[in-house]
Amino acid sequence: MPRRLLALLLGLSVTTGCGARAAGQDTPREPGASPRTSVRAVEPAEAAQAFKLLGRLDDAWRKRDCQTVERLTTWAEKTLGGRACEATRNGRPAPSRKGYSDAEFFLPATAGADRWFVALARRPHPAYFLFVHEGDDWRLAAGPVPVKGEPREPAGGAVPADDPGAGVGARLAPQRYLTYLTDPAGVSGVTFPKGDIARELFDELVRRPRKVRPDRLTSDVRLLVGPQRALLLPGGGALVIHALEIEHRQRAGPGRSSLRHPIYGKDELRGFTGKGRVAGLTGTEIVLVVTEVTGGTGVSTVAARRSLATLTTG
C-alpha cells in the first residue's frame, strides 16, 4: 500500500488545578464552594460572555470577513480559518454555522497565565467548544466538535499532571490515536471500540489509495502542535480535547496529465487553487477530537470534527 507513515512524538502538557462547573442556557449558576486556587480563575459570568463570541464568529464567516475570523480564533480554529476562509471568497461554500445555545461551562482553575474553559452546548445538537484567553481577549480554540452518542459531562476540574491514572492516560491519549492510525499491520496493540470514529478513519486511510487508482495517494498523520486540555470525569478518567493533522498527497498516474479521481470536490479545488483539473494536489485536514480516557489506557472517541485547512496543487 503506497502510504508513508509518520510518527511524531510531542511533549504534551496537562494543566493542573481544580475547578467549578456552571450550567444553564448560556446563563451560569452561582459558583459552588470549591476553593479557588488562582485569582485568575475563570468566573461563570466571564465564560458566559466569552461564549457569545460564537455569534460574532458566525457573522464573520457569513460575510467572508477573514480578518475577524482570525482575530476571534486561536490554535486549531485559527488554522481552519486561514486559507479555508480565503477560499470562500473564491466560491467555496462557507461552513454551515449554527446558533448554539443551552450551554454548560466547565471551568478549571488556572495555572499561571493559562486561562481556558470548555463549553458543552445542548442545542441544536450537543457539541463541545474550547475557549482560551489569549492576549487581552477570549478566543475560540476548537469547536463546534459534534458529539456522537451521549455527551460526557466533566466533574469540572482539570486533570492533575501527576495523577498516576487519569493524568498519564490523558497525556498519552493523542499519541494512541497517532500510533493506531499509522499502524496498518496492527502490531502496536492499540485498539478502539467497534463503531468508533478512529476506526472509521483508519479504514478510510487504508482503502482510499486503492479506490483512487490509477492516481497515486499517500498520507501522513501527525499531532497538531499545541497543548492538550483535559478535564476530570466523575468516577475517574478524563475528557481530553486534542487534534490530529492529516496530509494527503495525490498524483496523476503514469501517462496522465490530470487526476482521474481527485479526493476533493470541484468547489474545494476552485476555492483553494482556482483550478478545476490538476495533475497533483496536497491537502491538509484537521481532525478535532474529544476523547474519553478510562482505566488509565482505555480510550474512545466522544466527539470529532474533520475539516479541510489547506489545498495546493502539485
Side-chain angles (χ1 to χ4, degrees), residues 124-143:
H125 51 73
Y128 292 100
F129 298 81
L130 171 64
F131 292 84
V132 175
H133 197 274
E134 189 175 276
D136 59 354
D137 208 348
W138 286 98
R139 290 169 170 78
L140 179 65

Side-chain angles (χ1 to χ4, degrees), residues 17-282:
C18 62
R21 168 183 138 188
Q25 293 191 6
D26 306 342
T27 304
R29 301 169 183 165
E30 291 298 317
S34 300
R36 298 290 185 182
T37 60
S38 170
V39 295
R40 293 182 56 81
V42 181
E43 297 294 337
E46 187 179 13
Q49 184 64 33
F51 188 79
K52 293 180 180 179
L53 76 78
L54 293 180
R56 295 158 53 200
L57 187 57
D58 293 348
D59 188 57
W61 273 107
R62 283 192 294 267
K63 295 178 179 177
R64 273 73 171 176
D65 182 356
C66 298
Q67 288 185 334
T68 298
V69 171
E70 181 178 10
R71 187 173 68 251
L72 296 177
T73 56
T74 188
W75 190 50
E77 293 301 331
K78 176 166 282 191
T79 301
L80 292 170
R83 286 284 296 115
C85 183
E86 294 174 10
T88 65
R89 296 172 173 175
N90 298 325
R92 182 182 185 237
S96 176
R97 310 289 296 191
K98 301 178 180 179
Y100 284 91
S101 62
D102 191 12
E104 294 180 82
F105 304 112
F106 304 97
L107 314 175
T110 58
D114 187 29
R115 307 182 72 228
W116 59 278
F117 71 91
V118 172
L120 170 58
R122 299 285 182 176
R123 299 178 181 175
H125 51 73
Y128 292 100
F129 298 81
L130 171 64
F131 292 84
V132 175
H133 197 274
E134 189 175 276
D136 59 354
D137 208 348
W138 286 98
R139 290 169 170 78
L140 179 65
V145 189
V147 175
K148 182 178 181 180
E150 290 297 320
R152 311 299 192 271
E153 296 188 17
V159 175
D162 58 355
D163 185 292
V168 174
R171 190 166 60 250
L172 295 179
Q175 181 59 43
R176 292 180 69 82
Y177 279 81
L178 182 62
T179 300
Y180 177 76
L181 294 173
T182 57
D183 179 26
V187 298
S188 68
V190 177
T191 61
F192 284 83
K194 183 178 180 180
D196 194 280
I197 294 172
R199 294 183 65 160
E200 296 174 3
L201 181 56
F202 175 84
D203 290 342
E204 179 187 320
L205 290 172
V206 171
R207 296 171 182 170
R208 196 176 237 184
R210 295 194 297 268
K211 293 177 68 175
V212 301
R213 291 174 181 168
D215 300 335
R216 295 165 295 179
L217 177 67
T218 58
S219 302
D220 286 342
V221 183
R222 46 188 175 255
L223 303 181
L224 184 65
V225 175
Q228 70 188 61
R229 311 287 176 162
L231 291 166
L232 289 167
L233 288 170
L239 194 71
V240 187
I241 299 177
H242 57 104
L244 301 165
E245 193 174 57
I246 303 176
E247 183 180 84
H248 297 293
R249 293 174 303 281
Q250 187 178 8
R251 303 292 181 265
R256 298 188 59 86
S257 60
S258 63
L259 297 173
R260 182 166 184 179
H261 303 291
I263 61 175
Y264 299 110
K266 293 182 179 180
D267 287 341
E268 283 79 10
L269 281 173
R270 291 194 180 279
F272 279 96
T273 71
K275 300 178 180 180
R277 298 178 66 86
V278 294
L281 58 81
T282 300

